[in-house]
Each structure stands twice: as C-alpha cells, then as structure tokens.
Amino acid sequence: MDSSKTQLDLVLKGSGYDIEKEIKAFDESKAGVKGLVDSGIVKIPPFFVVPENVVSSEPTPAHLQIPVIDLKDAHGDPARHEKVIQEIRSALEIWGFFQVVNHGVSKDIMEGMVEGVRGFHEGKNEVKKEYYTRDVKKKVTYTSNTLIHKTKAADWKDTLYFRMAPDSPHPEELPVVCRETTIKYTAYIRGLGDTLLKLVSEALGLNPDHLIESGCDKGLKIMCHYYPPCPEPNRTLGSKSHTDPDFLTILMQDHIGGLQVFHQNQWIDVPPIPGAFVINGGDLLQLISNGKFKSAEHRVLANHIGPRISVASFFAIYDRICGPIKELLSDENPAVYKEVPLMEYIAQYMWKEQDGGVTTLDRFRL
Ligand code: OGA
Ligand code: NI
C-alpha cells in the first residue's frame, strides 16, 4: 500500500470512516458506479475523491488541436497514400493521438455497438452481476475499477470487458443484449486495426506488413466503458491519467466528451466527432519505435451530464520479448530501450498507479 493511501486511511479512520469497508461494500454490491448513482447519492464516496487541483484544466487553446486524418483513398491514389502516411507519422511523433474519418466502419456498426453497451450497463442487475468478477483469466467480465484495492482514488466508471483475440470467447459467453453487435464490431475493428498497423509500419519507414508480421494484431481486448453522470465532477475523474499498455488503441466515444490528452504540459480536449475513431499509440509502440512514436498520457473527466459511453479496443500481445525494431536503429539512433519480456512489462503496469511520475516504460530504458 502506498503512503498517501495510508495517510488518507488514517484521517478517515479518525473521522470514523473505514475506507476498506466502504470499498468492500461497493464491490459486493456488484452494481458499480451506476448502482451508486441509481441509489440517489448526492455526494461521491471518499474513495473516489482525487486531490484538489488534479481535475482542473485550462481551456484548450485554439492552436492545439488533435490532428484529424481522412483515410479516404488512402489505398487508392498514391499521392493520397503518401500524404496519409506523412500525417500519421507526424501525429504519432508529436501527439501520440489522432482521429480518423472515412475509415470504412459504418455509422450503423458504431451506433449499434454503443447501443449494445448501453443495453448491458442499463440492463437488469441480475444479469450484470453474473459477469461481475476480477478474475483476469475470464474472457468476458463486468467490473468497476479492476484495481480498486490498489488505487489511490477509484474512477467514476464501470467497464464491460471482452478478450476477443487470440482466442475469442464462445458467442454464448457474450451478454445477449450486445452479442451480435460486439461480434460484428470486432470484425470491423480487426480490419481497421490491420489497415492502421500497415500505415503505421510505413510511417516508420518499414514494409507495410512489418507490424502485422511481428504479431501486433494478434491480441485484441475491448473495454466498453460506461461513465454515469457524476454529482461532484470536480472531485473525481472518469479515468485517471494513464498511458495504454498496447501497440495501438482504437477508441470510439459518444457525443458527451471529456477525453483529454496531456500535451505540452497541459490537458487538451479530444472533441467528439460523429463517426470518427480516436487512435492512439500505446507503450508498446513507443518501445518498438525506439521512442519515435509517443504513448501519450490521457484521462477522462467526470461530468454532471451523461452517461458517457466509450469503447476502447486495444491491440497487444504479451507472450513475447520486444525491443526497438532493428531496422530503425543506427549509430545516430541507438536503442534507448532494452529487450523487454512483455509479461514482465504488463505485470509492472498492472501493479503501478499510473498517475504521474515515472511511467512503466521508463523502467525499461537503457
Ligand atoms: C482507455 C481509455 C478513454 C475513454 O480505456 O484506456 O483511455 O474515452 N479510454 O473512455
Ligand atoms: Ni487509455
């Protein structure tokens, strides 16, 4: 247990509040944050409270906008292809984030997925409870705050999780309200993932198939987040600041907003664009690109309005050792990271509080 939590514990204990007991009751309710909101609370429980000043952010300056990349004809016209690769390269170098439009996934598929996720989270508690677990071996789970006993402050969100690859769950394991939509959505996300990994390979100056041949598309996890409206959005976060532990993330967010990226020492809004996906490079891309492509810190604000729904698809596989891609290294560009057993990386990532300070990847610097 870290020292700040111990201190908070003592203060709260002194006031007659037992945080561990509250967390246990919350967890045993298996109803998540939505359950708290449905019960009519007007103040958030102390285990969600972040230190003062964490939440505040300046308005996003007009000149700092996440790039929006149009994928139309990215594979037809050679000039367009070159332009898209150049845009992706610059977005991943400078921001680690960009949005894509004209990516080939229809609005019906995207909206169907959001509605399926809503159907689950707003569905019967008896059904949701069956999925509520912290068993990391399960391919389909519903939880609020996976690391609740470890974090300094819990996130104001609930998550339905699917591990879709390398071996997908049996369709019957998926909740019936979102079964068909999730299977369809997954097929499109795998296709878009491959398209993007090819473009990212080229953006690194490699053969288009390089990242796919290295297995970057082998594993796919999908997290379907539900951020209920929050009575005190200035005292907690929807998702605390973190980097993603993967190669690439494809995020679909609804119209509510709240996602922010840490860039040039400030929090920048990632505005919802209807029909767009938000793409970001994760720690593993930063590792294999030898630091060329950024894995940027990001977070989600809580909000009075809502719920907010988002679906994050993570491409990652941890059954191998990865280091900077040999073709990218030279005397002028020597390796800055070690060869990393990804199992070791992910174990460290899971057990570390990701809010500020040294990131997990920094521990593997040479
Ligand atoms: C994540 C994430 C952002 C969002 O799941 O890693 O950053 O908008 N999600 O929910
Ligand atoms: Ni993330």
Side-chain angles (χ1 to χ4, degrees), residues 66-109:
I66 307 285
V68 179
I69 301 180
D70 185 348
L71 294 185
K72 190 162 185 281
D73 290 332
H75 282 96
D77 171 9
R80 283 279 314 134
H81 185 74
E82 213 30 66
K83 180 154 189 286
V84 167
I85 286 167
Q86 194 263 319
E87 287 176 346
I88 290 180
R89 180 186 303 126
S90 121
L92 288 174
E93 279 180 3
I94 296 168
W95 289 88
F97 265 78
F98 57 94
Q99 304 212 48
V100 286
V101 295
N102 293 315
H103 41 63
V105 184
S106 73
K107 279 204 175 161
D108 278 1
I109 297 290

Side-chain angles (χ1 to χ4, degrees), residues 139-140 161-165 167-174 183:
K139 289 181 190 160
V140 179
Y161 162 89
F162 303 111
R163 194 170 73 226
M164 299 307 284
D167 14 64
S168 58
H170 194 275
E172 254 91 87
E173 292 176 59
L174 309 186
I183 293 170

Side-chain angles (χ1 to χ4, degrees), residues 225 227 242 244 251 259 298 300 308 310 312 314:
H225 302 303
Y227 300 86
H242 66 281
D244 289 348
L251 178 88
L259 175 62
H298 52 285
V300 180
R308 171 180 187 268
S310 69
F314 303 92

Side-chain angles (χ1 to χ4, degrees), residues 206 210 288 323-330 339:
L206 303 165
H210 192 104
I288 63 174
I325 295 168
K326 297 282 176 292
E327 286 85 337
L328 303 180
L329 303 179
S330 63
E339 294 286 313

Side-chain angles (χ1 to χ4, degrees), residues 103-151:
H103 41 63
V105 184
S106 73
K107 279 204 175 161
D108 278 1
I109 297 290
M110 297 175 79
E111 280 163 14
M113 185 68 188
V114 171
E115 289 319 307
V117 171
R118 190 189 308 282
F120 176 83
H121 285 282
E122 295 180 359
K124 288 209 173 70
N125 268 332
E126 303 89 84
V127 177
K128 290 164 71 177
K129 279 181 180 173
E130 284 171 34
Y131 293 92
Y132 198 94
T133 176
R134 291 180 201 287
D135 181 349
V136 293
K137 287 191 235 62
K138 286 251 163 73
K139 289 181 190 160
V140 179
T141 68
Y142 154 64
T143 346
S144 186
N145 288 283
T146 338
L147 302 177
I148 197 161
H149 300 286
K150 189 78 189 164
T151 58

Side-chain angles (χ1 to χ4, degrees), residues 6 29 32 40 63 93 99 101 133 135 151-152 169 171 183 192 221-222 241 252 285 291 297-298 312 316 329-330:
T6 313
S29 79
H63 69 282
E93 279 180 3
Q99 304 212 48
V101 295
T133 176
D135 181 349
T151 58
K152 287 183 205 152
I183 293 170
L192 179 59
K221 293 175 181 168
I222 301 186
S241 176
M252 169 171 71
L285 186 63
E297 292 271 344
H298 52 285
L329 303 179
S330 63

